[in-house]
């Protein structure tokens, strides 16, 4: 049975069972993964997956269900499950099916060129990448991950209010992680590229980035505990921002799970900070003309020169607050109910070069990696304490590598202590909360725990 | 689920280009999830995961493909597509599937799918009410409930043909305390490889109260001091230290590549004499248990470290080829979307002789980590980190005052050697572990232990 027929029958059966408005969200995904180890294809994976998510209003409440088995036998289960789920919802917030926005801006998220690159070329790329890493320095003892992957994603929303939207996108990524060794001293570094433009995949620069950074950490040692002027390198700052993205969700604000409650129009960050959510950004992984509820997406400043301008809304939270949805309705996959996430969200870059910021520091620390973002950080309280490594800066110069330290602070306090913003905006590998970027940030003071 | 002749045909085609081993993994899983915030059910979702994974080996290399469409034509197509990655002559391998029966160690009484949602909601409400009413400082409580019923079939070119059913359920309570513009949270998430009868076995109110108590304690806590100090880590989920500091490094995934800090160390001293470490996937109905691993091998009780000496690794089928060692029933995967690899099940430090009281009384100054949060590790360097959810300063052998915001960091090479006291009160805690083959239910466990010296990342200088 083709999808159109399945959806028609599903809506028909749902209606008979007493559903009012209904919607399906279909998601298809084709993937390729190539992993190289010691010159050979260590793993080669192919995937072809799809799933269908159903939701509808039953007795005034929204019920959800999904299936990965797309056949006519699933219809009954989908409807019965959604009904059962709707009956158990007792939220006061109204969720509804959307008839569609007036206009949708065209967004280019599919690059046909990528399909013209042969598998052989891709395999060669990863093999060369590994080879290059070994050739760069004899202290490279292993390349523990070296892979190329790509995904083609298809999504479609169809509902009984006449909405029918579809989107195609594709993306390719490569990741290399190297292990370097000098005596007993072992260090690693991982670097990646993510884009749907294969011409941007360069073996030499990617391998060099990873090897140089790992080598630079050899001989690292801890540092005296204390408060230090700290630079968070662009990727570190972006990773931390990503982990705190839930604070901007209107749902968390309404449920009393975000400290940004009642802060609209107030200064929550230093006046040099502007945070943008741009669903139209060129090359943005999260670029799309519509969100998971079919609402037209919007460019917006979440923080403008330190002032909190808006939360991120979906239809439900917007209705509750009496505002318009910001087009941030999000579905992690067909398995998830509607939640909220940013699109391409970033801290606007500043004027200073990264090197200039270092030159201006008499004594401080540069952080180039943090670990434990899923555990050592609490979006509710804003507290973080993260294992980290980087370099000690003295008299405007990088003096030595440091590790076995933690950086600790509170995100809400830190937003006010960002003194200088670099001009090196960088986006990090997405992990579900949108595509997040930041320039390097100089923080007045952070607690460092070491010796 | 799938009939024998279809599987045989698929395996045959998967081997058509010279592969020396092929495997078919089918999964049919039913999920239920409910979210309650502020006493109201906000989200309810249920659905069916369904798909087939096909894996081919040629010596030490592997190919993996998966699809949601299990028609014979499509599976053959996917098998052939995957086989294209090889280009050798077909080997002479006769496929003769023999269905094996399982010795079920994890008896399920009440299938969660046979329980009305209203009963699940009622359970969540009990948790909510208890936590919310614990104290006026508790401003919000979120309760998540989940259950899964997973039916799997594994067949391979060695003749294996086995089916299993896995049922798991978990309830997670997150309490938030607010005061003077600050918020702190407390968490408890008990779960088991069990049906709905699990909730008759446990007292949900006690867990809810604990989550609220942690949040309340932390909102009134001072900032944690920084620096190196002795740390007493409480039993149960405290075992996350072992999981991060050493468990991941013992997985064949990193051992086979030679990048683990434990590679080539069998028979060597890697921990203090007080430390014996076991990974046991057979414990009846525990969260990380299962009858067979996701390659069809029976799970086992694997002794990894015995009185400080490294005894073994956790090995899956592919890595057993690379390492020339027997697999240990440790091949696991989140779903058909992942090729299996070596993973932990229920991993714990065995009981020692001290009591919790003795351990604290013998600590002049240090941190007492009553509840741990999660953590992570870099298996190549051994550097790990994990968060303390509820901590206290110990002074002169007494628990003095609560402190917040601490992370413990260190290196797996020395941390196990620094364990200088081990309690006699082994307990487990439930967690989800993320790695190459996806997110998996695992138990971590230990008795109360003391680590002589560890870096505590806090926000205040040591006094």
């Amino acid at each position: 049975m083709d999808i159109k027929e399945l959806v028609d029958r599903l809506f028909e059966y749902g209606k008979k069972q007493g559903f009012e408005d209904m919607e399906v969200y279909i998601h298809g995904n084709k993937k390729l993964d190539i992993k190289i180890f010691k010159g050979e294809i260590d793993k080669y994976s192919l995937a072809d997956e799809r799933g269908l998510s159903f939701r509808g209003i039953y007795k005034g409440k929204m019920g959800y269900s999904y299936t990965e088995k797309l056949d006519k036998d699933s219809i009954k289960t989908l409807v019965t499950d959604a009904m059962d789920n709707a009956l158990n919802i007792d939220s006061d917030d109204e969720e509804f099916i959307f008839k569609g926005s007036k206009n949708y801006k065209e967004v280019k998220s599919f690059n046909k060129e990528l399909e013209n690159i042969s598998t052989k070329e891709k395999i060669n790329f990863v093999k060369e990448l590994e080879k290059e890493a070994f050739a760069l320095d004899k202290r490279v003892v292993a390349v523990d991950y070296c892979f190329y992957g790509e995904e083609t994603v298809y999504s479609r929303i169809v509902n009984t209010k006449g909405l029918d939207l579809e989107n195609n996108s594709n993306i390719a990524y490569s990741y290399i992680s190297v292990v370097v060794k000098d005596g007993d001293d072992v260090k690693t570094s991982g670097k990646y590229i993510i884009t749907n433009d294969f011409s941007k995949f360069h073996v030499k620069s990617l391998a060099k980035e990873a090897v140089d950074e790992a080598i630079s950490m050899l001989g690292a040692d801890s540092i005296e505990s204390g408060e230090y002027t700290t630079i968070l390198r662009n990727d570190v700052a972006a990773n931390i921002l990503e982990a705190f993205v839930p604070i901007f969700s209107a749902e968390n604000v309404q449920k009393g799970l975000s400290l940004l409650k009642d802060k609209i129009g107030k200064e929550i960050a230093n006046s040099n900070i502007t945070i943008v959510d741009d669903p139209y950004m060129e090359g943005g992984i999260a670029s799309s003309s519509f969100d998971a509820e079919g609402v037209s997406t919007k460019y917006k400043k979440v923080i403008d020169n330190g002032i909190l301008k808006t939360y991120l809304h979906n239809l439900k939270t917007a209705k509750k607050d009496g505002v318009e949805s910001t087009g941030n309705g999000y579905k992690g996959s067909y398995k998830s109910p509607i939640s909220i996430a940013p699109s391409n969200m970033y801290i606007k870059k500043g004027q200073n070069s990264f090197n200039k910021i270092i030159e201006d520091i008499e004594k401080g620390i540069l952080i180039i990696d943090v670990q434990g973002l899923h555990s050592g950080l609490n979006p509710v309280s804003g507290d973080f304490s993260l294992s980290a490594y980087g370099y000690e800066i003295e008299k405007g110069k990088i003096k030595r590598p440091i590790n076995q330290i933690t950086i600790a602070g509170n995100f809400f306090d830190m937003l006010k202590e960002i003194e200088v913003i670099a001009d090196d905006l960088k986006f990090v590998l997405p992990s579900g909360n949108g595509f997040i970027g930041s320039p390097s940030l100089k923080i007045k003071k952070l607690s460092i725990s070491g010796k | 689920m799938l009939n024998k002749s279809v599987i045989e045909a698929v395996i045959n085609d998967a081997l058509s280009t010279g592969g020396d081993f092929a495997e078919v993994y089918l999964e049919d899983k039913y999920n239920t999830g409910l979210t309650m915030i502020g006493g109201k059910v906000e989200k309810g979702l249920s659905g069916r995961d369904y798909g087939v994974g096909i894996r081919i080996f040629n010596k030490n290399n592997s190919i993996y493909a998966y699809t949601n469409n299990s028609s014979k034509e499509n599976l053959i197509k996917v098998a052939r597509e995957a086989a294209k990655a090889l280009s050798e002559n077909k080997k002479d391998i006769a496929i003769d599937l023999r269905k094996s029966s399982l010795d079920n160690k994890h008896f399920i009484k009440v299938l969660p799918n046979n329980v009305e949602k209203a009963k699940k909601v009622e359970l969540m409400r009990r948790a909510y009410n208890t936590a919310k009413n614990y104290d006026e400082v508790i401003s919000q409580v979120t309760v998540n409930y989940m259950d899964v019923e997973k039916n799997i079939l594994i067949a391979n070119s060695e003749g294996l043909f086995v089916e299993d059913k896995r049922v798991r359920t978990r309830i997670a309570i997150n309490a938030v305390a607010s005061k003077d513009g600050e918020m702190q949270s407390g968490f408890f998430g008990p779960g088991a490889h069990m049906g709905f009868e699990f909730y008759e076995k446990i007292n949900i109110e006690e867990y809810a109260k604990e989550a609220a108590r942690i949040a309340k304690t932390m909102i009134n806590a001072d900032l944690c001091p920084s620096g190196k100090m002795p740390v007493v880590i409480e039993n149960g989920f405290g075992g996350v230290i072992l999981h991060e500091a050493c468990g991941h490094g013992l997985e064949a995934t990193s051992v086979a590549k030679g990048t683990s800090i434990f590679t080539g160390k069998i028979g060597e001293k890697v921990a203090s004499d007080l430390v014996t470490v076991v990974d046991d996937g057979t414990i009846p109905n525990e969260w990380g248990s299962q009858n067979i691993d996701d390659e069809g091998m029976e799970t086992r009780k694997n002794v990894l470290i015995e009185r400080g000496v490294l005894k073994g690794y956790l090995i899956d089928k592919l890595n057993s080829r690379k390492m020339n060692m027997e697999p240990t029933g440790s091949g696991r995967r989140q779903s058909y979307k992942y090729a299996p690899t070596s993973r932990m099940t229920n991993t714990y430090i065995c009981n020692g002789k001290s009591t919790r009281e003795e351990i604290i009384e013998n600590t002049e100054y240090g941190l007492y980590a009553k509840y741990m949060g999660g953590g992570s590790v870099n298996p190549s360097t051994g550097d790990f980190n994990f968060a303390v959810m509820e901590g206290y300063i110990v002074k002169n052998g007494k628990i003095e005052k609560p402190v917040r915001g601490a992370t413990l960091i260190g290196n797996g090479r020395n941390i196990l050697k620094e364990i200088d006291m081990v309690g006699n009160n082994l307990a487990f805690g439930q967690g989800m572990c993320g790695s190459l083959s996806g997110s998996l239910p695992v138990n971590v466990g230990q008795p109360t232990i003391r680590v002589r010296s560890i870096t505590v990342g806090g926000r205040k200088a040591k006094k």
Side-chain angles (χ1 to χ4, degrees), chain A residues 36-207:
Chain A
I36 299 290
F37 188 67
K38 289 186 179 160
E40 282 191 73
I41 299 179
D42 183 41
K43 200 180 142 194
Y44 182 87
S45 321
L46 293 167
D48 177 7
E49 55 177 322
R50 52 184 190 162
L52 181 149
S53 179
F54 173 74
R55 61 177 189 148
I57 307 288
Y58 184 76
K59 299 201 169 157
K61 300 291 182 194
M62 185 79 81
Y64 285 84
S65 60
Y66 76 88
T67 184
E68 289 181 344
K69 199 166 169 61
L70 272 64
D71 58 10
K72 65 176 193 316
D73 299 339
S74 331
I75 292 178
K76 203 178 156 196
T77 323
L78 282 170
V79 171
T80 317
D81 278 354
M83 211 187 265
D84 190 22
N85 285 320
L87 285 174
N88 281 292
I89 300 285
D90 55 3
S91 169
D92 302 322
D93 308 341
E94 192 192 336
E95 225 180 322
F96 57 96
I97 302 284
F98 188 57
K99 67 177 193 304
S101 302
K102 274 194 195 113
N103 295 303
Y104 294 95
K105 190 167 169 164
E106 202 182 319
V107 173
K108 196 176 164 281
S109 50
F110 186 81
N111 182 1
K112 188 130 189 40
E113 295 285 308
L114 190 59
E115 298 195 322
N116 299 331
I117 315 288
S118 70
T119 305
K120 206 174 158 191
E121 236 175 299
K122 293 163 193 165
I123 292 173
N124 272 344
F125 170 81
V126 222
K127 282 191 173 169
E128 287 301 315
L129 185 61
E130 192 197 40
K131 221 161 131 189
E132 176 71 16
F134 278 115
L136 276 169
D137 197 299
K138 60 176 188 309
R139 287 169 290 182
V140 176
V141 291
V143 175
D144 52 354
Y145 296 102
C146 186
F147 73 80
Y148 170 87
E150 64 183 39
E151 276 182 57
T152 305
V153 181
Y154 164 82
S155 59
R156 184 171 170 187
I157 304 174
V158 188
N159 69 32
T160 53
K161 280 192 160 172
L163 188 76
D164 190 347
L165 295 166
E166 67 177 333
N167 187 50
N168 284 293
S169 65
N170 58 4
I171 196 70
Y173 37 85
S174 178
Y175 177 79
I176 181 168
S177 164
V178 301
V179 182
V180 301
K181 200 172 174 192
D182 194 359
D184 270 345
D185 191 4
V186 178
K187 293 289 180 292
T188 64
S189 171
K191 294 288 169 184
Y192 54 85
I193 175 169
I194 177 164
T195 166
N196 59 14
D197 183 355
F198 194 73
S199 70
K200 288 189 179 150
F201 281 70
H202 298 299
V203 164
K204 288 212 156 43
S205 54
L206 191 58

Side-chain angles (χ1 to χ4, degrees), chain A residues 31 35 37-38 40-51 53 62-69 71 74 77 81-82 84-85 88-93 95 142-145 179 184 186-188 225 227 251 255-259 316 334-339 371-376 378 380-387 403-406 408-410 413 447-451, chain B residues 29-34 37 39-51 60-70 74 77-78 81-82 85 117-118 121 125 139-140 142 176 178 181-185 226-228 244 253 256-257 259 318 322 336-337 339 373-376 378 380-381 383-387 404-407 409-411 413 436 455-460:
Chain A
K31 285 197 226 178
K35 214 154 107 193
F37 188 67
K38 289 186 179 160
E40 282 191 73
I41 299 179
D42 183 41
K43 200 180 142 194
Y44 182 87
S45 321
L46 293 167
D48 177 7
E49 55 177 322
R50 52 184 190 162
S53 179
M62 185 79 81
Y64 285 84
S65 60
Y66 76 88
T67 184
E68 289 181 344
K69 199 166 169 61
D71 58 10
S74 331
T77 323
D81 278 354
D84 190 22
N85 285 320
N88 281 292
I89 300 285
D90 55 3
S91 169
D92 302 322
D93 308 341
E95 225 180 322
V143 175
D144 52 354
Y145 296 102
V179 182
D184 270 345
V186 178
K187 293 289 180 292
T188 64
S225 302
E227 292 200 320
E251 177 139 44
K255 302 295 178 206
L257 295 170
S258 165
L259 282 168
K316 179 175 93 172
Y334 47 82
K335 292 188 193 180
S336 344
I338 296 286
S339 61
Q371 300 94 40
L373 282 159
H374 68 295
S375 54
N378 186 337
V380 173
S381 65
D383 289 341
F384 63 88
S385 171
L386 302 165
S387 170
N403 71 348
Q404 288 289 319
I405 58 166
T406 64
N410 182 284
D413 297 339
S447 294
I448 306 288
S449 176
K451 283 181 208 166
Chain B
K29 176 175 155 201
Y30 196 83
N31 287 301
T32 299
L34 292 160
I37 310 176
K40 304 267 185 190
V41 180
E42 291 285 337
K43 284 168 188 171
L45 182 75
S46 36
R48 185 181 184 191
D49 293 6
Y50 182 89
N60 291 345
N61 300 326
S62 74
I63 303 158
Y64 194 73
Y66 68 85
T67 177
N68 303 121
N69 180 346
S70 63
N74 186 60
K77 195 183 115 204
V78 172
E81 194 65 35
K117 283 229 171 72
V121 171
R125 208 173 298 286
S139 59
Q140 184 59 287
T142 303
V176 176
S178 301
E182 284 188 333
M183 288 194 216
Q184 290 289 325
S185 52
S226 301
K228 279 199 168 183
E244 300 302 350
T253 321
K257 280 184 175 165
T259 53
L318 180 62
K322 296 181 182 172
Y336 67 90
K337 293 184 184 178
S376 66
N378 177 338
S380 298
T381 59
D383 289 342
F384 64 79
N385 66 87
F386 44 108
R404 66 160 88 149
T407 288
I409 63 166
N411 190 286
R413 276 177 222 274
L436 286 180
T455 302
V456 176
R459 255 198 286 162
K460 220 164 102 176

Side-chain angles (χ1 to χ4, degrees), chain B residues 328-386:
Chain B
T328 57
S330 308
R332 297 186 73 190
R333 59 179 123 196
Q334 179 184 331
S335 73
Y336 67 90
K337 293 184 184 178
Y338 297 84
T341 191
S342 49
R343 300 289 294 269
M344 288 175 258
T345 59
N346 307 300
T347 317
Y348 58 92
I349 298 176
C350 298
N351 266 333
K353 295 206 166 73
S354 310
T355 64
R356 172 194 289 127
E357 292 69 30
E358 280 164 10
I359 296 175
I360 290 173
E361 277 165 22
N362 279 291
T363 305
E364 202 179 311
Y365 179 85
L367 181 73
Y368 166 59
K370 185 168 164 73
Y371 284 115
M372 300 298 304
S376 66
V377 68
N378 177 338
S380 298
T381 59
D383 289 342
F384 64 79
N385 66 87
F386 44 108

Side-chain angles (χ1 to χ4, degrees), chain A residues 3-21:
Chain A
I3 293 291
K4 183 78 182 75
E5 197 190 335
L6 183 74
V7 171
D8 285 346
R9 284 217 218 167
L10 179 58
F11 286 166
E12 200 181 305
Y13 183 73
K15 205 170 168 194
K16 244 188 248 168
Q17 298 302 308
F19 270 89
E20 297 158 45
D21 298 325

